[in-house]
Amino acid sequence: MTQTTLLYNIGQLLTMDQQEGPVHGKAMNELDVKENYAVFIKDGKIEAIAPNDELADVKADEKIDCQGKLVTPGLVEPHTHLVFGGSREHEMALKQQGVPYLDILKQGGGILSTVRATRKATEEELYEKAMFHLNRMATYGITTVEAKSGYGMNHETELKQLRVAKKAGENHPLDLVSTFLGAHAITEEYKDDPDALLDDMAAMFNQIKDENLAEFVDIFTETGVFTVEQSRRYLQKAKDHGFDLKIHADEIDPLGGTQLAVELGAKTGDHLAVATDEGIKQLAGSDTIGVLLPGTIFYLGKGEFARARKMLEEGAAIAISTDFNPGSSVTENIQLIMSLAALKMKMTPEEIWHAVTVNAAHAINRGDVAGQIKKGRQADVVIWDAPNYMYIPYHYGVNHVNTVIKSGQKLYKRGDLLV
Ligand SMILES: N=CN[C@@H](CCC(=O)O)C(=O)O
Ligand SMILES: [Zn+2]
């Protein structure tokens, strides 16, 4: 049976559909804002977008009066470590004492502590936990999510994580895109031979492809983790197996992961907090999208945020993300990240909206289905308790979502106080 919904009295509508591909540099600052609009949804898809007067009388099963509010595409979250066991609140004290993130890792904590918890957890436990976090992401307006493995670093646990992500993607209304991050840290078993760990992880590529468990392969290129050389060899192998690539690049030390991402034609270079001038120049001249994670820099207490302004001036395409994970950025709140992008990276509201919609969708190969409100597309739409698009990064730390519509279905509605 046909199901129709009309959103009318939209104060500001961002369709984000000014161009097909990722939006680069100065163009990220150009936002098309439609005022007094309506959107008609039919059978889960966008059927029409028109001035309010033209659609207000259309018949629909449900009519939602947007009361002059802001309406945008569902947000796209392009970098999360969604599936993990345990949590790391005990590391907060170490952080307060000033123990650096990489030192905690060197002492067997950090990522390795989550590896132990994830190895111990059952598939059911991981699944329940992942579904809980997906639900919370949905409440913040996210309708498509990337999810990485990387807390197993052995076949059994990496496959467990990837299967959990696949099942969550099949059962949760949010769309999920999976990334294999078997090369996330050096475990005790391989501490004297990281190359052997990489070989062991690469030995899973065929199975991951055959079972369709991941689209991307990612690596942590960092001091004390994997070198640029090791990353190049590993990622080239992944590319030869038909995977698209991502790199955790230049997060803490400027090793040149940004340049490697460009050299290998990676879909994204992620973090880039300490990318060099040369890295930024190469990024700007490439098709690789920079996924910036200011929540991580904030949470790790570091002073240096990614140089978004320079990247944009030079013409790079940028997305932003929570980097949701149990250690370096423990939040599902992408709206908070939008505020940090504004306050700490000096991105304009116009740039920020591109970074959480169309560019984030391209960053995970979903540019043709997510991140835009466009005729014929699945109707992933957010109604905000906000009068305009600038308001979201401005009023920080809270949830501004009024209603989330996923593929035409109402998925979340802000609750009311009970007293
Ligand atoms: N930097 C490497 N990986 C994650 C952190 C994972 C963790 O600390 O558990 C990140 O993107 O920040
Ligand atoms: Zn990450």
Side-chain angles (χ1 to χ4, degrees):
M1 209 179 74
T2 308
Q3 168 91 31
T4 52
T5 307
L6 179 73
L7 309 186
Y8 67 105
N9 280 341
I10 298 172
Q12 285 193 343
L13 174 67
L14 304 186
T15 52
M16 307 307 300
D17 67 338
Q18 287 81 272
Q19 68 180 63
E20 285 298 320
V23 185
H24 284 250
K26 292 193 172 51
M28 283 185 70
N29 200 33
E30 288 158 23
L31 197 63
D32 175 41
V33 183
K34 295 177 165 46
E35 302 208 324
N36 303 316
Y37 256 67
V39 173
F40 187 57
I41 299 168
K42 188 172 166 195
D43 290 337
K45 298 221 156 76
I46 304 289
E47 176 73 10
I49 304 159
N52 204 50
D53 301 348
E54 288 175 29
L55 284 179
D57 295 332
V58 127
K59 277 211 186 88
D61 300 315
E62 186 174 17
K63 287 190 166 191
I64 301 177
D65 182 353
C66 296
Q67 298 173 327
K69 295 178 197 291
L70 169 71
V71 171
T72 72
L75 306 185
V76 179
E77 166 52 89
H79 181 138
T80 83
H81 301 253
L82 174 74
V83 182
F84 58 86
S87 55
R88 310 223 293 267
E89 57 275 29
H90 50 279
E91 284 176 9
M92 194 71 145
L94 291 174
K95 286 159 69 98
Q96 286 167 335
Q97 289 155 25
V99 185
Y101 179 71
L102 290 179
D103 285 8
I104 298 177
L105 179 61
K106 221 194 277 167
Q107 291 159 21
I111 296 172
L112 293 173
S113 144
T114 301
V115 167
R116 287 188 292 277
T118 308
R119 285 179 177 182
K120 265 193 224 133
T122 65
E123 203 160 314
E124 292 66 37
E125 285 162 353
L126 293 177
Y127 175 76
E128 288 309 320
K129 220 158 134 62
M131 294 295 271
F132 176 85
H133 295 302
L134 284 173
N135 284 344
R136 189 174 279 154
M137 286 176 192
T139 67
Y140 284 108
I142 292 167
T143 49
T144 302
V145 181
E146 184 257 14
K148 300 176 196 297
S149 67
Y151 293 120
M153 266 91 82
N154 61 27
H155 289 221
E156 185 192 339
T157 311
E158 287 294 323
L159 288 172
K160 183 169 69 177
Q161 281 190 276
L162 291 171
R163 288 184 181 130
V164 165
K166 188 171 184 181
K167 188 167 150 200
E170 285 162 1
N171 294 339
H172 199 282
L174 296 199
D175 291 323
L176 204 138
V177 175
S178 208
T179 296
F180 175 51
L181 179 57
H184 194 193
I186 298 167
T187 51
E188 182 61 26
E189 303 92 307
Y190 287 102
K191 73 173 187 314
D192 299 321
D193 193 0
D195 287 304
L197 169 58
L198 292 179
D199 289 343
D200 191 34
M201 292 300 105
M204 297 172 68
F205 287 164
N206 282 331
Q207 186 178 1
I208 292 170
K209 264 277 158 208
D210 290 349
E211 292 185 32
N212 198 15
L213 288 173
E215 287 179 41
F216 290 93
V217 166
D218 195 345
I219 190 167
F220 189 12
T221 305
E222 188 56 77
T223 305
V225 193
F226 299 105
T227 65
V228 167
E229 253 321 300
Q230 288 167 331
S231 305
R232 180 183 287 113
R233 270 201 308 276
Y234 178 76
L235 291 175
Q236 187 57 55
K237 242 186 247 177
K239 194 172 172 181
D240 295 343
H241 279 77
F243 289 101
D244 281 328
L245 307 179
K246 293 179 170 288
I247 309 184
H248 281 67
D250 296 332
E251 175 183 357
I252 294 163
D253 290 329
L255 301 190
T258 311
Q259 291 92 313
L260 182 64
V262 172
E263 175 193 322
L264 293 173
K267 180 55 68 170
T268 63
D270 300 49
H271 284 289
L272 316 188
V274 292
T276 59
D277 288 354
E278 178 57 26
I280 291 176
K281 188 168 148 217
Q282 291 192 20
L283 180 78
S286 77
D287 290 335
T288 299
I289 297 172
V291 178
L292 308 185
L293 311 167
T296 310
I297 302 302
F298 166 74
Y299 199 79
L300 293 180
K302 298 183 82 68
E304 240 178 296
F305 286 78
R307 291 186 287 162
R309 286 267 46 92
K310 185 166 172 65
M311 293 177 194
L312 289 163
E313 273 152 28
E314 297 202 13
I318 282 176
I320 58 173
S321 151
T322 58
D323 188 18
F324 171 66
N325 74 71
S328 70
S329 185
V330 197
T331 184
E332 299 93 339
N333 185 350
I334 185 74
Q335 297 166 49
L336 174 62
I337 304 305
M338 293 167 79
S339 295
L340 291 176
L343 296 167
K344 299 294 186 183
M345 301 198 301
K346 311 279 183 265
M347 288 175 70
T348 65
E350 293 80 5
E351 291 162 348
I352 289 168
W353 279 103
H354 282 96
V356 291
T357 55
V358 58
N359 281 7
H362 282 287
I364 54 172
N365 285 346
R366 290 299 181 277
D368 56 346
V369 285
Q372 295 178 325
I373 296 177
K374 203 169 177 179
K375 187 171 160 53
R377 287 248 174 148
Q378 64 187 25
D380 295 353
V381 178
V382 179
I383 305 170
W384 300 86
D385 281 324
N388 60 64
Y389 69 89
M390 287 182 277
Y391 194 88
I392 309 298
Y394 151 75
H395 184 152
Y396 87 109
V398 301
N399 188 1
H400 297 283
V401 166
N402 178 283
T403 304
V404 177
I405 295 172
K406 174 69 194 162
S407 297
Q409 297 295 317
K410 237 191 247 168
L411 180 60
Y412 171 74
K413 174 97 181 82
R414 177 176 51 77
D416 291 318
L417 282 178
L418 298 178
V419 287

